[in-house]
Amino acid sequence: MSQDLLKLSAAQAVSAIQAGDVSASELYDFYRRRASADEFNSYLSVDSDSTIAPAGGELAGVPIAIKDLFCMEGVETRAASKILNGYVPPYDSTVVAKLRAAGASFIGKTNMDEFAMGSSNENSAFGAVRNPWDPTRVPGGSSGGSAAAVAAGTAPWATGTDTGGSIRQPAALCGLVGLKPTYGAVSRFGMIAFASSLDQAGPITRDVADAALMLKHIHGKDASDSTSIGLPEDVVAPSAENLNGLKFGIPAPLDWGGVQTVVKAVFDASCKRIEAAGGEIVELPLPHADYALSAYYIIAPAEASANLARMDGVRFGQRADVSGGLTEMYETTRGEGFGPEVKRRIMLGTYALSSGYYDAYYGQAQKVRTKIVEDFKAAYETCDFIITPTSPSVAFGLGEKTDDPLQMYLSDYFTVPISLAGVPAISLPAGLATSDGSAVAEPGTEGALPVGLQIAAPHFAENKLLDAAHVFERETDFADGPWTWGS
Ligand code: GLN
C-alpha cells in the first residue's frame, strides 16, 4: 500500500482522495513519516503545521513541502539563515495562504541556500542537502531541499523560488520538473526578499501536470505585492497532442565551451524529439545573453544588499548579546548571523551601489538587462519558445565548487538570461548521463544522473509552455526517480 501511495503524483493523489480510495490523513501521515526519516537533510522542520487541511478544497488535503523562504504563520521561517533564528512570522505568505485556501496540507519547511544565494545548497546555515540520485553530490540550489524532498519521495511536490535559476537548476539536477513563472505571475508577498526585481515562486514537481496544478492555485494579482499581476487566463491541465507548427529557437551562437559533452548530447537528442513530435528547430540571435551573468551578479547582489539591511537584530530573529551600543549590536548580529556567501553578496552589492560606482556598475548592468529584454522580444517574433540545457553540468560533487565562487556562478549560465528578461521557463527531465558524466545512459543504468532541458516562453504564455512541456515529457523515456527505488 505504501508503495502505491508513493506512486501517486499530486494530481493523482487529489483524484484518489476525491474518489475515496485514499484518505487525506493517511496520505499526510505517510509523508510526514517519510519526511521525518529523510536522509538528505532536505528539511529544516517537519510537521511544522500539524493541521491537516479538511479534505475539501480543490487540493483535497494533499501534502506539500514549503521552501523555508516562504513565511508561514506560527512556523519558524529562517531562509536557512542563523540571523533569522527564532523568527516566527505572524502571517502567511500569499503563496502559502493560497495553497492553504485550496486545501493543501503542509509537511514541513525545506532546506535551501541561505537567503536563496547559491547553486548547490551548500550555503545553508543548517548543512548541505544531498542529492537523492547520488548522496555524494549536490541537489542544486537554491531550492535544493525542495528538489531533494520531491526526488526522494518525502514530499509529492514542493514550492521553490527562482531569482536566477533556483527552481530550474535543482529540478534539472534532481530529475524533476521546475517552473519559473513570468515575473509578476505569482505574488512575492511574504517571500523573504533576495532580489526583488527577479524573485518568483513556482512549483517543483514530478511531472508537468502537477506543475500546472500548483501554478493554477498560486498565481494571481495581489494587493500586497504591487509587482504582481497574475496570469491573463486560468491555468489549465496540459493536453496538447503534438508540437505541430511550433518553432523552438536555439540561441546562436551558443557558447558550448563550458558545457559538459553529455549535456550537449542530451540537448541534441531533445531537439530530435521535438522534431519528431512536429516541432521545428530554428536558430536565432540572442546577442546580449552572454553578458547576462555579469549583469545578474551586479543586479542581484545590489538588490540583496538593500533588502538585507532589515536584518539588524531589532526587528527579526536573532540579536547578538553585546554590552556596547547600537552600532556594536548591529555589527555583531550581522557578523555572526550571516554566512560567507551572503556577506560576499552584501559587499558586492553595496560597492556596486555606492556613490561614484553606481553608474559604472549598477547603471551599466541595468542597461545590459534592457538589451536582454529586447533580445528576447525580438526572438519571440520569430519563434514560439527558446530552448537550452538547464545546467551546464550534471550534479557536481559536494565541496567541488565551494572554494571557487566564479565556478559556482557559472552554473547559472543558461538560467539567468531568462530571469533578467522576466519570461517564464520550465526545466524538464530530458535524459540521463553515466555517473562519471562521460556518456548518455539508458534508464535503469546504475548511478546515472539526470540532465534537464530548459524551455522558455514569452511573458504570460504559461499555458502554451505547459502544453509543449507536456508533449516533450511524453516523448521522453526518462527513468523513474529515486522515490521509486524502495522503502
Ligand atoms: N544561483 C543563483 C544565485 O546564487 C540564483 C539563485 C536563485 O535563483 N535564488 O544567485
Side-chain angles (χ1 to χ4, degrees), residues 135-452:
T136 67
R137 293 173 192 262
V138 305
S142 67
S143 311
S146 289
V150 179
T154 58
W157 57 350
T159 61
T161 65
D162 190 312
T163 302
S166 280
I167 289 175
R168 292 162 284 162
Q169 186 253 15
L173 269 43
C174 290
L176 301 167
V177 173
L179 172 69
K180 181 200 87 74
T182 305
Y183 180 78
V186 179
S187 169
R188 293 179 296 106
F189 179 68
M191 268 167 59
I192 295 168
F194 167 9
S196 306
S197 76
L198 296 159
D199 298 342
Q200 253 314 269
I204 295 183
T205 58
R206 288 184 201 168
D207 64 23
V208 176
D210 278 3
L213 180 64
M214 195 190 304
L215 183 64
K216 174 183 171 184
H217 289 288
I218 63 174
H219 87 89
K221 188 173 164 66
D222 178 7
S224 304
D225 170 9
S226 59
T227 64
S228 72
I229 180 160
L231 291 169
E233 49 188 25
D234 282 345
V235 179
V236 292
S239 61
E241 296 286 330
N242 57 57
L243 301 173
N244 291 350
L246 295 171
K247 280 192 189 158
F248 293 74
I250 303 177
L254 195 65
D255 180 7
W256 293 99
V259 179
Q260 254 178 355
T261 318
V262 69
V263 170
K264 171 90 165 73
V266 170
F267 182 73
D268 291 342
S270 302
C271 291
K272 296 222 169 64
R273 289 212 168 87
I274 288 171
E275 286 175 327
E280 188 189 339
I281 304 285
V282 296
E283 292 204 334
L284 48 81
L286 224 46
H288 301 91
D290 254 359
Y291 303 105
L293 212 53
S294 313
Y296 172 87
Y297 275 98
I298 297 288
I299 293 169
E303 294 184 17
S305 71
N307 277 326
L308 292 177
R310 75 190 60 153
M311 305 297 164
D312 57 5
V314 175
R315 286 168 284 187
F316 313 98
Q318 174 174 301
R319 176 181 307 171
D321 187 13
V322 292
S323 51
L326 187 63
T327 308
E328 189 191 338
M329 191 281 286
Y330 287 154
E331 286 172 357
T332 314
T333 298
R334 288 168 68 87
E336 290 173 356
F338 290 136
E341 181 63 24
V342 175
K343 287 179 183 161
R344 182 180 295 125
R345 305 279 180 116
I346 292 174
M347 285 191 281
L348 280 171
T350 311
Y351 183 78
L353 290 177
S354 57
S355 132
Y357 295 103
Y358 185 97
D359 288 341
Y361 293 104
Y362 189 69
Q364 189 72 6
Q366 290 290 28
K367 284 183 197 156
V368 172
R369 183 174 189 176
T370 302
K371 291 280 180 207
I372 290 168
V373 171
E374 286 166 359
D375 280 359
F376 273 81
K377 222 184 245 165
Y380 286 130
E381 275 165 23
T382 55
C383 69
D384 297 280
F385 302 107
I386 293 170
I387 51 171
T388 67
T390 308
S391 159
S393 74
V394 296
F396 42 92
L398 286 157
E400 204 177 305
K401 298 191 181 178
T402 38
D403 293 337
D404 189 345
L406 190 61
Q407 280 308 313
M408 193 68 93
Y409 298 170
L410 285 168
S411 312
D412 309 326
Y413 179 69
F414 291 117
T415 49
V416 150
I418 286 156
S419 304
L420 291 174
V423 297
I426 196 164
S427 179
L428 300 166
L432 293 165
T434 52
S435 57
D436 61 357
S438 67
V440 174
E442 291 303 314
T445 308
E446 177 82 22
L449 297 166
V451 179

Side-chain angles (χ1 to χ4, degrees), residues 448-459:
L449 297 166
V451 179
L453 173 74
Q454 175 173 248
I455 311 181
H459 290 109

